[in-house]
Amino acid sequence: MFTKEDLIQVDTRKKLVELAKKKGIKVKKALKRTKYEEELRLLQVELAFLQQHIEKNKLRVAIIFEGRDAAGKGGSIKRFVEHLNPHSSGVVALAKPTEVERGQWYFQRYIEVLPNSGEIKFFDRSWYNRAVVEPVMGFCTHDQHKTFMAQVPNFEHMLHEDGIRIIKFWFDISKEEQKKRFDDRKNNPLKEWKFSPVDLKAQELWDENTKYKERMFTETHTAYSPWTIVETNDKETARLESLRHVLSQFDYKGKGSSGANLLTDPNVIYRYFRKPKTFDL
């Protein structure tokens, strides 16, 4: 790091760069981080404006974060809620169901944590556990998965008709990047708690996860509750683009006044689209 004496002696950008190199500071990386933090701050200001809009107009907003293990869902949620009023926002991260909950209708425990009037809720995984994770890991039966897939579009349509706005994200990364992040978790005492038994099998079951993910998209992507894909190996980009997408979905007082760039990058974030069917010849 720079000392006070270092900075006093530096009077040009060139000298500052030279000093940074001598100290082993990666200038490009530092500049990129600085730019990211400034963009994040501006977008969080916009998000505060949006929260005021949601409170004032008594909207109910549920934002679902799904995706590959270690794809950055939790980190993105943290940046969303960092400066929001906790009285009208919250994170939903349900533990595995209890014995009583296993005997209930699958959606029942999620209904209890849906946003109330004037609230925005962030779901760190959601009812879509049963679409991918549970069948891949053997945590549900074939019939339970089949029933869920048949019911979820109707469930979400009921929420839509009742006025709840649902935004569904799928965070995607490459298999190589996932392994890199898993290794980082295992070797970092501060992140070790993030590494779960499910993570252990994520690489091994990559193709199986892909199969169930694609089926989920095909059967649950609707006009009233579409899927938005966030596809990048860069965590910071994923955070900024998901923030921009949410902001783009609403008109609120003060929109754009922070000076933030509110235009999303279509190479990173885009709405899922069904591939045309290829007929057997």
Side-chain angles (χ1 to χ4, degrees), residues 71-219:
K73 301 178 293 296
S76 293
I77 292 172
K78 182 179 178 181
R79 274 66 188 183
F80 269 90
V81 303
E82 194 170 11
H83 299 293
L84 292 183
N85 181 350
H87 296 296
S88 56
S89 65
V91 178
V92 178
L94 299 185
K96 67 179 183 178
T98 64
E99 189 62 34
V100 171
E101 289 171 334
R102 281 195 286 271
Q104 297 174 343
W105 180 42
Y106 179 76
F107 294 98
Q108 188 166 332
R109 70 188 191 129
Y110 291 103
I111 290 173
E112 295 171 357
V113 292
L114 287 170
N116 294 316
S117 177
E119 284 187 342
I120 179 170
K121 291 284 189 73
F122 302 89
F123 286 74
D124 189 352
R125 292 203 179 277
S126 65
W127 46 86
Y128 280 102
N129 271 337
R130 181 146 290 182
V132 181
V133 175
E134 289 190 16
V136 169
M137 298 299 297
F139 296 158
C140 72
T141 67
H142 172 75
D143 286 344
Q144 286 174 326
H145 175 254
K146 184 179 178 180
T147 299
F148 169 83
M149 296 301 288
Q151 290 182 346
V152 69
N154 294 324
F155 172 69
E156 291 179 352
H157 191 252
M158 285 190 291
L159 299 182
H160 169 73
E161 285 190 318
D162 201 57
I164 296 179
R165 181 70 177 274
I166 303 174
I167 297 174
K168 300 190 301 194
F169 283 122
W170 177 271
F171 283 68
D172 224 344
I173 54 176
S174 69
K175 189 175 182 180
E176 294 73 25
E177 179 64 19
Q178 186 187 65
K179 184 179 185 305
K180 179 182 174 183
R181 294 184 185 182
F182 283 163
D183 290 341
D184 181 50
R185 288 180 178 183
K186 287 187 289 185
N187 298 322
N188 186 337
L190 298 177
K191 296 182 179 181
E192 195 173 3
W193 63 271
K194 291 184 176 183
F195 196 72
S196 70
V198 174
D199 294 337
L200 282 171
K201 289 202 167 188
Q203 288 272 293
E204 176 187 339
L205 298 172
W206 180 273
D207 292 339
E208 192 74 359
N209 273 284
T210 299
K211 182 180 77 173
Y212 277 95
K213 174 197 74 172
E214 290 300 327
R215 179 178 174 185
M216 176 188 73
F217 288 157
T218 300
E219 298 187 23

Side-chain angles (χ1 to χ4, degrees), residues 46 48-50 52-53 56-57 251-257:
E46 292 286 329
F49 294 156
L50 174 58
Q52 292 169 14
H53 172 76
K56 182 179 178 181
N57 292 279
D251 289 321
Y252 52 87
K253 185 177 179 181
K255 187 170 185 176
S257 60

